[in-house]
Every structure is written in C-alpha cells, then in structure tokens.
Amino acid sequence: MKISILGTGYVGLVSGVCLAEKGHQVICVDIDPEKVNKTNQGIPVIYEKGLEELLVRNVAKRFLATTDLRKAVLETEISIIAVGTPFDGDEIDLSHIREVSLQIGNVLREKKDYHVVVVKSTVVPGTTEEVVQPIIEQTSGKKAGKDIGIGMNPEFLREGEAVNDFLYPDRIVLGGIDEKTLDCLQSLYSVFEGVDVIRTKLKTAEMIKYTANSLLATMISFSNEIGNLCSSLGGIDVVDVMKGVHLDKRLCPIMSDGLRITPGFTSYLEAGCGFGGSCFPKDVKALIAHGKKKGQPMSLLESVIRVNDEQPLQILNILRDSFTELKGLRIAILGLAFKPGTDDIRESPTIPILKELIQTGASIQAYDPAAMQEAKKFFGEHKITYCASLSQAVDGVDVIILMTRWEEFNNLPNLLVNRKDTPLLVDGRRMLNKLQFTRYAGIGI
Ligand code: NAD
C-alpha cells in the first residue's frame, strides 16, 4: 500500500522504515528539512538498534522523506499522523495534531479518491473523533465515513527496542469510525502475520494506550515506594523483597515441566531511580488532567507521578548521608539516556540529579554509550566533563552514580578491581551485584 507518515520523529521514522521493510511504499513527512535531508541520505537522526541498516536498505526504493506534505498525501492512500503530543503543564498539547490535521484536510479537498487518515500519536480519549475528524471534514469539505476514513492506531514500541517491537508487535490495536476504515487498516497490517488484532472504536483505541502506559508506570512507582520504605526501615534490601514477590505463581507461573515463566512485566516491579522518557510521564499527566476535566479525579495516578518526581532525590539523599560536603566531590554519572538502547534523554531521571549536583559545585564526569550528543545539547559543554569511555569516566572519582541500565556497566567490577582508592558506587538501577563492591549503596537498600 502507499502510505504517508506525518511527523518523522521516533515513532514516524521507525514506523516508516519498518513498513517499507515489510513491502509498503512509504513517504515520511517532516517540517524539519535537516531531518529530512539526513534521513534521505540514510542517516537516522535518532539512535535505535537496527534502524540505520533498515533505512539504508529501503531509502530511495520503498522509502522517502520529504517536507512536501501535499505531494505525500496526494500520492498515498493512507496518512498516518505521528507528530508529538507533549504535556503543556495543564493538559495535552494538541497544537501539532491540529496543525497537521488542517494541512491534511486542505490537501484532501483536491483529492478525488477515498483516503484514510489515522492517528498514531498518543492522544487523550475523544481527540480523534472530537478534534481531528471535525478539522479534516471542515477543511476538506468531505464526509468521514463516506469520502474519507478516520482511524486511530496507537503505537506500543519501546524506545531502545523500537525496530524489533515494530517488526514483531505483540498486538495491533485498530480504532475506526466504520468497517471500511478498519478493513483498510487491517490490510495495511496484514504484512504482520499471526498477531492479535483488536478492531474497536476510536476512543477505546486511545484509552488502551493510556491504560497500558499508566499500568506500567504504576508498577514502577509502587516498587519505588516499597524500596524507599526498605531504605528507611534498614536491614531490608528491596531486591530480596521483590524476588520473593515475583515468585508468586500468579506473577511467575510454574509450568507443567516444573520450569517458571518470568514475564517481562516483572522488570517493572523493581525499584530504581524512577521512570522518564517521552511517554510515561507525559501520558500519565495527560490522563490525570483529562480525568479532572471530565470530573473524574485520578488520585492513584497522581500519587504515581508524585512518587516518580521525588524518586531521583533518593540518590541525592544517599550522597548527603555519605559525604559531609558535596562541593568539590568528584562524581561519575553513568547513563544519561532515560533507558538503555536509546539516545533519548527526555525526562531522564539523570536530569534533576545533574542539575542539583551542578548547583552544589560537585565536579562531574559523565558517560553514556549513546546519549552524549543529546546531553551536550541539553546541558551545554561547560559544567560537565563528557568522557569518551566508561573507564575514563570512573577514573579518579569519589563517587560513581549508575543511572541507566546499560549492559556495558556490568564491566564496573573489573574496572574497579585494582583501584587503591575505592569510590562509592551508588546503584540507581540496582543492576549490579552489591557483593562485588567494597563500597556500595543503592535505591532500596
Ligand atoms: P518526536 O517529537 O520525536 O517527533 C515528532 C515529529 O513531528 C518531529 O520530527 C516534528 O518535527 C514533526 N512535526 C511536527 N509538526 C509537523 C507537521 N505539521 N508536519 C510534519 N511533521 C511535523 O515525537 P515521537 O517521540 O515520535 O512521538 C510522536 C507521538 O507518538 C507522540 O504522541 C508520542 O506520545 C507517541 N509515542 C511515542 C513513543 C516513543 O517511544 N517515542 C512510543 C509510542 C507512542
């Protein structure tokens, strides 16, 4: 099928490249000409495992990037909206959604053939029906359900695993105003065989996405609150506690051969320094705001956000308990991205910690296998020493703070083994074995 994707960010680019890999003809549109130029040269503007290889294989064949939205919409059968939906402090910011809907509508006015517009961006329930559809109908002069189709297809890819998640989805959720739209979406996704497909209403599709993200965020904040209590009580390690909890057969079932299944969600039931990224914080906040607006307070989710906002402070508390003075302390920060496998630092828990440490006058050496450029853009180059390697980052420091679960950080015990001065390791993710370190501290211990 011929598809245009409006917005070539994390979701737009990964979706576009993967749909091209699966045999569709894809045109990705963005307002940023630099992004478009680089993409057309086979250079992904984001870091994602496997993305560059797929882009290089498909670009100029089944995949093209452009700033020309009109041409892209006219030449395709389906337009997928993948622009950003940030949280503006009070509610979801739909300005990009409104703008792109207006642009699509204007182009559809001159198009004769049936066309389907699909919202892939995460939008609060009701947005596709009450915002996108009326704008497109008004600007195009066409009737949804007759001349055009309107759909909602939330995206569940995880940054760091985005290509794999897109190519091997666990579910495909399709919302549509009518059967014709849903049939069109289903044929778009027919290239993914054997995947559970849900055909539903626009609003339900929107709600599924928020509910999924809110549940995962809730599990994280729950685990963090338990971890914080373990720290306060003393003599209890949250890692031992959660191990005992995971062994409940309702969480990790025992199969007939006696072996246990460890479902992926148990990784959300572990204490750490909090969730970040471009989705969980903004989506949970947007749902809370939407609930409030509709007269339904979301008190559990409000607590989820509060616990998460305060969680990075646990790291600072550990430092303050361990050192009388933070000024002049030499600190290695390991991990700037909000999670491993990505260069995305949006809402990373490292940000509030770095800001506070810079304020206190600590001397900071930072290292991340992928996110150094993004961090330089955010923090500038003056207040932080950016290190080229893990060993350089931990060289001569008093404290090492581990903030992101990068695989590479498993090398820390080897790197520190012959050191005479033993730095304190503060494990913000509880990913390392505490017995391998002389001086170890962490969340929930
Ligand atoms: P992003 O900010 O990385 O990308 C959005 C892109 O849209 C930008 O490149 C921007 O230049 C472009 N854009 C804005 N207005 C435009 C217009 N009028 N025409 C063409 N392009 C335009 O955002 P993202 O992380 O890809 O997220 C997009 C949506 O997908 C959001 O709603 C987000 O919540 C959702 N989502 C994101 C993820 C994720 O892991 N990042 C996962 C699932 C869902």
Side-chain angles (χ1 to χ4, degrees):
M1 291 176 94
K2 290 182 176 165
I3 307 154
S4 46
I5 299 184
L6 298 325
T8 312
Y10 278 83
V11 167
L13 182 59
V14 171
S15 309
V17 169
C18 291
L19 287 170
E21 174 72 10
K22 284 292 201 175
H24 292 300
Q25 206 68 44
V26 180
I27 307 178
C28 265
V29 181
D30 207 280
I31 45 173
D32 180 346
E34 197 189 327
K35 223 176 234 190
V36 166
N37 284 340
K38 281 201 169 146
T39 305
N40 281 332
Q41 288 166 44
I43 307 165
V45 287
I46 52 161
Y47 172 78
E48 262 311 322
K49 231 178 355 207
L51 181 61
E52 187 168 3
E53 190 191 328
L54 289 196
L55 175 61
V56 168
R57 191 151 68 221
N58 288 287
V59 76
K61 293 178 193 114
R62 285 194 297 261
F63 177 91
L64 175 84
T66 180
T67 52
D68 190 344
L69 182 140
R70 180 178 169 274
K71 195 164 177 290
V73 173
L74 285 178
E75 286 179 3
T76 54
E77 306 149 68
I78 303 183
S79 295
I80 299 176
I81 298 178
V83 297
T85 48
F87 183 71
D88 74 2
D90 287 322
E91 60 179 354
I92 188 170
D93 172 0
L94 294 175
S95 54
H96 300 293
I97 292 280
R98 285 201 175 88
E99 175 62 24
V100 83
S101 304
L102 200 91
Q103 291 170 327
I104 296 169
N106 279 331
V107 178
L108 289 182
R109 181 170 278 280
E110 48 177 307
K111 192 167 181 186
K112 286 196 185 66
D113 302 333
Y114 178 78
H115 194 94
V116 174
V117 180
V118 192
V119 177
K120 192 175 254 309
S121 301
T122 305
V123 291
V124 290
T127 306
T128 308
E129 209 173 320
E130 292 153 26
V131 178
V132 175
Q133 184 179 327
I135 293 178
I136 292 180
E137 283 187 320
Q138 276 157 27
T139 46
S140 66
K142 311 229 160 168
K143 182 89 193 94
K146 186 171 156 271
D147 318 306
I148 51 171
I150 302 283
M152 201 291 143
N153 164 226
E155 181 49 58
F156 296 100
L157 61 77
R158 296 162 301 165
E159 281 182 30
E161 299 291 335
V163 170
N164 209 46
D165 282 351
F166 199 94
L167 288 177
Y168 305 99
D170 47 9
R171 75 206 111 157
I172 292 168
V173 175
L174 307 175
I177 40 160
D178 57 7
E179 291 300 309
K180 191 172 175 186
T181 305
L182 288 168
D183 289 347
C184 178
L185 289 180
Q186 196 146 5
S187 48
L188 165 72
Y189 282 105
S190 62
V191 288
F192 300 93
E193 281 167 20
V195 184
D196 288 329
V197 176
I198 291 184
R199 289 168 64 113
T200 185
K201 290 182 289 188
L202 298 169
K203 256 189 198 174
T204 309
E206 292 164 333
M207 190 66 185
I208 288 172
K209 173 66 188 174
Y210 278 98
T211 307
N213 275 2
S214 298
L215 173 65
L216 296 173
T218 302
M219 291 200 288
I220 296 172
S221 278
F222 166 77
S223 311
N224 288 342
E225 188 164 77
I226 294 291
N228 297 345
L229 182 62
C230 291
S231 298
S232 300
L233 295 175
I236 309 173
D237 187 340
V238 70
V239 170
D240 301 331
V241 172
M242 291 322 254
K243 201 185 276 172
V245 172
H246 290 181
L247 288 177
D248 183 325
K249 58 178 177 286
R250 288 163 299 186
L251 299 181
C252 294
I254 304 167
M255 304 314 285
S256 52
D257 57 7
L259 294 176
R260 263 188 200 271
I261 293 177
T262 305
F265 74 78
T266 54
S267 68
Y268 294 82
L269 287 171
E270 284 169 0
C273 50
F275 57 80
S278 67
C279 291
F280 284 7
K282 85 160 172 68
D283 291 348
V284 177
K285 286 176 194 167
L287 195 62
I288 294 169
H290 197 56
K292 242 185 218 161
K293 203 167 144 188
K294 300 284 175 189
Q296 177 56 58
M298 309 291 283
S299 44
L300 174 64
L301 292 182
E302 280 180 7
S303 304
V304 166
I305 290 295
R306 200 167 47 247
V307 169
N308 194 59
D309 285 347
E310 289 167 5
Q311 197 59 12
L313 300 178
Q314 294 291 325
I315 300 281
L316 295 167
N317 290 343
I318 293 172
L319 291 185
R320 292 200 176 102
D321 286 347
S322 312
F323 300 92
T324 43
E325 175 85 274
L326 298 190
K327 191 170 181 209
L329 202 66
R330 290 161 304 170
I331 301 177
I333 296 279
L334 304 184
L336 301 157
F338 82 96
K339 64 186 282 196
T342 177
D343 61 350
D344 196 347
I345 67 161
R346 291 179 284 183
E347 302 271 338
S348 168
T350 312
I351 293 174
I353 291 176
L354 269 175
K355 280 186 177 164
E356 182 66 25
L357 290 176
I358 290 169
Q359 279 276 318
T360 58
S363 152
I364 298 156
Q365 323 194 151
Y367 172 70
D368 187 287
M372 301 293 264
Q373 286 311 321
E374 291 302 309
K376 282 178 192 170
K377 277 190 235 162
F378 188 88
F379 288 105
E381 306 227 8
H382 305 303
K383 293 174 181 146
I384 297 170
T385 306
Y386 296 95
C387 299
S389 66
L390 177 61
S391 57
Q392 194 186 332
V394 299
D395 191 31
V397 295
D398 306 303
V399 188
I400 299 168
I401 305 179
L402 191 159
M403 292 296 297
T404 314
R405 228 171 225 278
W406 282 103
E407 184 77 26
E408 187 184 345
F409 300 158
N410 282 312
N411 291 331
L412 272 174
N414 297 334
L415 278 176
L416 299 180
V417 75
N418 289 324
R419 281 267 292 265
K420 286 195 196 79
D421 55 324
T422 321
L424 171 69
L425 174 71
V426 181
D427 190 346
R429 294 293 176 188
R430 299 306 310 273
M431 70 173 272
L432 299 169
N433 179 355
K434 63 184 176 188
L435 301 176
Q436 290 186 293
F437 299 88
T438 325
R439 296 175 68 208
Y440 181 96
I443 298 286
I445 192 168

